[in-house]
Amino acid sequence: MVFGLSGSQLFGVGLAVVGTIVLAFSARYVWRATSIYRAEVVSMLGETTPGALVRVSGTAQQGDADLLSAPFSGNDCLALRYAVEERRLSPFLLPWFVTIHELAGSDAFRVRTAEADVDIVEPARTVTLEREIVATVPPSDEPPERIARFERTTDAVPVTTYWRSPPSLVRPLTRRLSLGTRRYSEQRAMPGDEVTVVGRVTETGDGIDPLVVSDRPPSQTLVRMAKTSLVGVCLGVFVVALGLVLVLL
């Protein structure tokens, strides 16, 4: 026993701590998702108070910064989110695509409304846009040159994994289930696209520090952002409750 706690109680404490961490991170993201409704709708900054949470919608335009180059398609864009997924076995032994690398961001750009050009001056924390599958590559095939170059130069994405190069004994089964297949997707905001940006007015009052860049109505944006985190909230609550039960038994 440690500190008067049995083994099961210590395990319960550990579960409660882990569950609290999962709950905190998931709840924080859900709270960010609700910002699209909590924000004040504006079409120009004008007399808006610095630090105020605002929502602006309009046509995305290039600002003073260079355009970003999407890694898989090569398209120039203002905001970008890309992901590499690999088909693996789930805990329930069913094949599914698991995200093995994902990155999102933006550079400075402008949103043209009916009344003004509003500067988006910082990288976006969350980018949620229409998703395009650029390529789907079985493990037996070579990816397009641009994607192959990306994987060679990005340490965060392993060129090969157990699922792409399994032992020869199980290879017929993994190939039949398409395990190891990789899917490369991009979400892009390009000049001329209609976007909604939620963020805080800068201290100087002449731009927005963005929290969210989206191309969907507020309700769809909220659902898209919150649905994954709600699973985390539920999981966190369950793990905390289970840990407390073990501690109190």
Side-chain angles (χ1 to χ4, degrees):
M1 297 181 69
V2 180
F3 300 116
L5 299 175
S6 66
S8 63
Q9 288 176 318
L10 286 174
F11 181 67
V13 170
L15 281 180
V17 171
V18 171
T20 300
I21 294 173
V22 172
L23 183 59
F25 275 98
S26 300
R28 180 172 178 267
Y29 199 74
V30 171
W31 179 249
R32 181 182 296 177
T34 65
S35 66
I36 200 158
Y37 279 112
R38 292 185 285 110
E40 176 188 358
V41 179
V42 300
S43 57
M44 59 185 300
L45 296 184
E47 302 299 324
T48 307
T49 305
L53 184 66
V54 298
R55 185 174 90 213
V56 60
S57 299
T59 305
Q61 302 286 342
Q62 185 176 3
D64 298 329
D66 293 333
L67 295 173
L68 302 175
S69 180
F72 308 142
S73 66
N75 290 328
D76 292 331
C77 51
L78 301 167
L80 171 69
R81 180 177 181 177
Y82 63 85
V84 181
E85 300 168 290
E86 189 170 273
R87 190 169 171 85
R88 300 177 176 181
L89 286 181
S90 73
F92 303 102
L93 301 181
L94 296 174
W96 65 356
F97 278 100
V98 176
T99 300
I100 62 174
H101 178 65
E102 187 174 37
L103 196 62
S106 65
D107 214 331
F109 65 99
R110 294 188 178 99
V111 176
R112 179 167 296 169
T113 71
E115 298 185 43
D117 288 345
V118 180
D119 287 326
I120 312 302
V121 297
E122 298 289 343
R125 294 168 176 78
T126 300
V127 175
T128 174
L129 303 162
E130 183 177 355
R131 182 169 178 255
E132 177 188 350
I133 305 297
V134 178
T136 301
V137 183
S140 57
D141 293 353
E142 290 294 325
E145 174 55 31
R146 179 177 291 277
I147 293 176
R149 185 169 61 250
F150 170 83
E151 291 190 332
R152 287 195 303 267
T153 58
T154 305
D155 294 337
V157 182
V159 175
T160 187
T161 63
Y162 172 86
W163 302 99
R164 290 183 70 80
S165 299
S168 57
L169 184 64
V170 298
R171 193 165 297 165
L173 177 61
T174 60
R175 294 297 180 262
R176 182 175 293 275
L177 297 175
S178 299
L179 300 180
T181 295
R182 285 190 176 176
R183 193 163 64 186
Y184 304 86
S185 65
E186 293 176 348
Q187 300 178 37
R188 304 181 296 266
M190 305 173 71
D193 288 349
E194 296 298 312
V195 298
T196 294
V197 178
V198 177
R200 295 195 177 278
V201 179
T202 59
E203 292 184 2
T204 56
D206 58 356
I208 295 177
D209 182 357
L211 295 173
V212 180
V213 178
S214 175
D215 61 356
R216 298 295 177 92
S219 59
Q220 294 182 26
T221 300
L222 175 64
V223 170
R224 182 187 289 183
M225 291 179 61
K227 63 182 180 181
T228 302
S229 296
L230 286 174
V231 174
V233 170
C234 294
L235 179 62
V237 170
F238 173 77
V239 173
V240 170
L242 180 60
L244 291 176
V245 168
L246 293 176
V247 170
L248 297 174
L249 281 178

